[in-house]
Amino acid sequence: MNRRDLFKSAALATGALAQQARAAAATDRIGIGVIGCGGMGRMDLADFQKQPEAEIVAVCDVYQPNLQEAHQLTDHKARTYSDFRKLLDDHAVDAVVVATPDHWHPLITVAACHAGKDVYVEKPVSNVVREGRLMVEAARRTKRIVQVGLQQRSGSHFQRAAQIVRSGEIGEIHYVQTWIHETSSPEGLGTPPDAEPPEGLDYDFWLGPAPKVPFNPARFLGNWRSFFAYGGGRITDWGVHLVDIVHMAMGVDTPQAVTASGGKLYVHDLRDTPDTHEVTWEYPGFLVHYTCLHHNSYGHNGDAGHKPFGSYGIQFHGTRGTLFVDRAGYEITPQMKGHMEPGGISFRAAYDDLTGISMYYGLEGVAGRGTTSVQHVPHVQNFLKCVKSRELPVADIEIGHRTTTACHLGNIALRLEQKLHWDGQQERFIGNDTANDEANRMLVRPYRAPWKLEGMQV
């Protein structure tokens, strides 16, 4: 073999090896099926599609305009389905994204686990507490990876803020404040009459296990979150993100008691979830407070709420400082301590005339701040990594279930207008009075035939 033939042979071999490597890489890619192709579903699709180890092979929606738009995002390469069960039968699908309305999350997640698929399910995981536990059990029984879309956990600045809280840098924490304050029209979703479903919608399938009611545009698309049959209002929408970071930073996952108040105080529309909601959870050694407003966007940290969603955030009040964190970053405000100069007037006199003569204030802690970080993409990447390694993801279904449960408790306490005590191990309200019996009945919900979730006894 001459020199030219040798180089030619080597080049051919190198090309063949490269082609084999590309083929192997292609077969190693994780086939993703997206179930629910509305706004969040398409956002998930886009970020999964960016990952070299993932391929969107199927999309599914009962509303044809959503399905067509998702299909376009895959350059018409993904297979399309209107029935999630057929997508689960697709052998090219290794994992699914469940981005349907909340009332579908449990049934589809459990079915996907039994079909041998790993799952990325949007928050909140469930519509009632019992559903979430059944999802955890299904994941463990089938050894499936189930990541919940609590993407703030994957943001480095949220992780850094949580570490600051855990380190004791801001001292002992006995009170945490959370909120989502925004403005909306007093007409809200409006009061349109019942109507025929829009063209391209399989409305009976959209309802699924929820009660059968006439179609109304106020309950469709993004509006469904405002109805208990399909969602839980703002507390299970935005509040679940807030509570989740509190759980992560404080190292807890279960409140011991809950009280709530509020209602529809401002908005006049068809919704049955509150527009004004105040919840206090009792955890061992500290309280967590949550407020939701629809008529004013001023935040507890003084933020005027000049953002698309108003003011949103979490404040950890420590003995040495207060840490505020939201999606834009975090900031620590040191606690001040008063001191009197030698020869100053008495504390009593200083307080009475409010002049603080001969008083000065020094910092108890240190200041600090951090900017925002990417959250959703690393959350997707964490899921894909865990699909391959079989390690638990950063927002495992147990974590998502516990966080969602706290939000469900806030809704139940509001609806019963009662302080409730919670046994996190048994996942039941404790006590012998009628209110606890009624509260425990709200931990489950009936499923409309023919849909059934095994273990969901009413």
Side-chain angles (χ1 to χ4, degrees):
M1 180 180 290
N2 61 35
R3 183 183 179 90
R4 179 177 296 178
D5 290 339
L6 180 62
F7 282 130
K8 184 177 180 181
S9 177
L12 288 172
T14 301
L17 288 171
Q19 187 174 1
Q20 289 172 7
R22 285 193 296 271
T27 58
D28 285 344
R29 297 179 80 184
I30 300 168
I32 303 293
V34 179
I35 303 173
C37 301
M40 196 65 212
R42 293 195 295 272
M43 177 180 173
D44 289 333
L45 187 156
D47 280 349
F48 271 94
Q49 199 165 228
K50 294 172 186 174
Q51 310 312 313
E53 67 268 49
E55 180 181 4
I56 307 298
V57 297
V59 290
C60 176
D61 203 291
V62 298
Y63 187 44
Q64 290 302 308
N66 281 351
L67 184 62
Q68 291 165 9
E69 192 166 342
H71 194 218
Q72 283 184 335
L73 290 175
T74 69
D75 293 329
H76 303 281
K77 293 177 181 177
R79 286 177 290 284
T80 59
Y81 297 97
S82 297
D83 186 329
F84 74 91
R85 294 168 296 188
K86 293 182 179 178
L87 182 146
L88 294 181
D89 288 336
D90 190 330
H91 295 298
V93 175
D94 301 306
V96 297
V97 174
V98 181
T100 61
D102 301 346
H103 70 290
W104 266 112
H105 289 178
L107 200 152
I108 296 176
T109 297
V110 170
C113 287
H114 288 158
K117 317 295 185 185
D118 295 317
V119 182
Y120 183 106
V121 58
E122 279 302 337
K123 56 77 200 169
V125 303
S126 61
N127 243 28
V128 292
V129 172
R130 180 61 182 157
E131 291 174 321
R133 178 50 57 197
L134 294 174
M135 295 165 78
V136 175
E137 291 173 356
R140 299 298 184 257
R141 184 170 57 249
T142 60
K143 296 181 170 53
R144 292 295 96 197
I145 300 299
V146 181
Q147 172 92 296
V148 179
L150 294 167
Q151 67 269 14
Q152 291 181 167
R153 279 189 176 246
S154 291
S156 61
H157 82 278
F158 278 107
Q159 294 169 355
R160 195 176 305 113
Q163 178 56 37
I164 290 169
V165 168
R166 289 192 294 268
S167 72
E169 187 173 324
I170 62 171
E172 296 180 10
I173 298 168
H174 299 288
Y175 180 69
V176 183
Q177 201 168 26
T178 70
W179 68 93
I180 171 68
H181 295 176
E182 56 194 327
T183 58
S184 64
S185 163
E187 287 75 33
L189 311 178
T191 56
D194 294 340
E196 289 298 314
E199 185 177 351
L201 172 66
D202 185 338
Y203 179 57
D204 188 70
F205 210 144
W206 185 91
L207 286 172
K212 188 173 178 102
V213 293
F215 176 84
N216 191 290
R219 288 193 295 266
F220 190 45
L221 296 179
N223 298 341
W224 53 262
R225 295 184 184 277
S226 298
F227 296 86
F228 282 120
Y230 324 113
R234 270 294 184 255
I235 193 170
T236 59
D237 179 18
W238 275 94
V240 73
H241 285 302
L242 297 162
V243 173
D244 190 56
I245 295 302
V246 176
H247 282 186
M248 180 173 78
M250 298 296 288
V252 297
D253 63 10
T254 302
Q256 298 173 319
V258 59
T259 55
S261 60
K264 282 179 65 175
L265 308 183
Y266 168 68
V267 176
H268 306 287
D269 61 13
L270 295 181
R271 82 183 65 201
D272 57 14
T273 56
D275 61 48
T276 308
H277 195 182
E278 182 174 71
V279 180
T280 301
W281 294 275
E282 298 177 16
Y283 290 82
F286 69 100
L287 302 179
V288 178
H289 186 242
Y290 160 85
T291 56
C292 157
L293 303 178
H294 277 58
H295 72 285
N296 184 290
S297 65
Y298 189 84
H300 289 305
N301 66 330
D303 175 17
H306 296 155
K307 304 184 185 80
F309 48 80
S311 178
Y312 158 90
I314 309 163
Q315 286 190 148
F316 296 89
H317 294 264
T319 53
R320 300 183 70 242
T322 298
L323 185 148
F324 166 79
V325 63
D326 68 0
R327 293 187 178 182
Y330 69 86
E331 186 163 4
I332 303 170
T333 303
Q335 178 63 40
M336 298 288 186
K337 184 176 181 180
H339 304 272
M340 180 176 288
E341 296 176 354
I345 65 174
S346 71
F347 275 96
R348 181 74 261 169
Y351 292 153
D352 285 346
D353 63 18
L354 302 180
T355 59
I357 295 173
S358 299
M359 296 289 295
Y360 67 95
Y361 294 83
L363 301 182
E364 281 288 280
V366 296
R369 64 183 299 270
T371 60
T372 190
S373 60
V374 179
Q375 297 147 51
H376 195 264
V377 168
H379 205 58
V380 166
Q381 291 170 338
N382 175 255
F383 172 67
L384 294 172
K385 176 185 175 183
C386 292
V387 166
K388 291 186 174 182
S389 71
R390 310 315 291 173
E391 298 173 356
L392 291 181
V394 69
D396 173 60
I397 183 62
E398 178 75 47
I399 290 171
H401 164 58
R402 294 286 187 171
T403 296
T404 301
T405 291
C407 296
H408 287 325
L409 302 189
N411 273 333
I412 293 172
L414 173 68
R415 297 171 80 175
L416 295 182
E417 299 180 334
Q418 185 88 19
K419 180 174 182 177
L420 299 168
H421 294 271
W422 180 247
D423 183 334
Q425 185 173 0
Q426 298 296 321
E427 295 191 336
R428 291 188 63 79
F429 295 102
I430 52 179
N432 298 318
D433 56 23
T434 304
N436 281 292
D437 293 340
E438 188 174 355
N440 281 321
R441 286 193 291 271
M442 298 174 75
L443 300 177
V444 295
R445 66 178 173 123
Y447 270 44
R448 185 173 67 100
W451 303 106
K452 183 178 180 182
L453 185 60
E454 201 63 43
M456 181 56 60
Q457 286 80 19
V458 178

